[in-house]
Amino acid sequence: MPDTIAVIGGTGALGRGIARRLAKAGRAVIVGSRSAQSAQRAADELGHDIRAAANADAAAGADLIIVTVPFAAQEATLKEIAPAASGKVVVDATVPLVPPRVARVQLPEEGSAAVRAQTILGPDVAVVGAFHNVAAAKLMGDARILCDVLVFGDDKQARAQVVELSEAMGLRAFQAGPLASSAAAEALTSVLIFLNKSYGINGAGLQITGEAKPA
């Protein structure tokens, strides 16, 4: 398991929730942001000995990197951390939401944001897609979250690492196939947003039915 985890975009709602859950589980966490000052404010608010740094420094100081930025900032952020990401696992939680039509599926030309991340970061990085469908607000609480995490990647060992991290955060997680299949979870986020708006659901999520045996 990684000794230190950087959460890039850790000042946003999803990043803060992931950072908090990981730190509460005893992991060493660095919150990254474009501004080191903004990262420090978030770390101070979250507590649990979370450290802070600018994005590139956070990535350099971590063994595993989780990227939780908006789609519009994905490319620039990945290029910024690329030198520090070489040889590491990068978990990309980016969902291709294009305002104002966030309840409509709009996948990028590459087929998914995760495949786009792999293209930008290059073959020396093991990109994993995960955390697309978990409501950020629920991660900030301590209650059990009734939402499963689907983990995608071409590197089985990297996928397994992210499943273990998810479970440490109190989430049930499944290895869900190759990186290209991340498109399914990314697209589902728009469906969940539509359901939230249409039916007044507070953070709709995904659960896998049936009895799961060890993979």
Side-chain angles (χ1 to χ4, degrees):
M1 291 298 294
D3 293 326
T4 304
I5 302 161
V7 182
I8 304 301
T11 58
L14 180 61
R16 289 166 67 93
I18 289 174
R20 177 182 174 277
R21 287 253 173 172
L22 287 170
K24 284 199 70 176
R27 311 292 177 178
V29 177
I30 307 173
V31 166
S33 179
R34 288 176 296 178
S35 161
Q37 291 77 15
S38 296
Q40 189 61 60
R41 285 194 294 272
D44 290 342
E45 291 170 4
L46 291 168
H48 304 290
D49 296 320
I50 293 174
R51 290 180 284 155
N55 282 333
D57 293 333
D63 305 296
L64 182 144
I65 302 164
I66 302 176
V67 178
T68 62
V69 298
F71 181 61
Q74 184 197 31
E75 182 176 5
T77 302
L78 292 176
K79 287 181 176 179
E80 181 183 9
I81 68 169
S86 181
K88 299 177 182 178
V89 174
V90 173
V91 183
D92 190 274
T94 305
V95 175
L97 299 177
V98 184
R101 297 178 175 178
V102 295
R104 176 179 295 184
V105 176
Q106 300 183 67
L107 293 172
E109 292 181 3
E110 295 85 351
S112 74
V115 171
R116 186 174 187 242
Q118 185 71 77
T119 301
I120 294 169
L121 292 172
D124 293 335
V125 177
V127 174
V128 174
F131 305 116
H132 306 103
N133 308 135
V134 184
K138 293 186 181 295
L139 289 169
M140 290 300 293
D142 295 319
R144 179 172 174 244
I145 301 175
L146 299 178
C147 177
D148 295 332
V149 176
L150 299 181
V151 180
F152 305 90
D154 296 331
D155 185 312
K156 291 183 180 179
Q157 186 174 7
R159 288 199 316 246
Q161 275 193 326
V162 179
V163 167
E164 288 185 40
L165 281 179
S166 301
E167 291 173 347
M169 292 165 58
L171 299 163
R172 191 171 72 154
F174 293 90
Q175 294 195 45
L179 193 64
S181 293
S182 180
E186 294 175 24
L188 184 60
T189 302
S190 289
V191 177
L192 295 175
I193 290 172
F194 183 89
L195 292 174
N196 287 336
K197 291 181 177 180
S198 299
Y199 295 94
I201 301 172
N202 179 21
L206 169 74
Q207 282 191 298
I208 303 302
T209 61
E211 183 179 352
K213 298 179 181 179

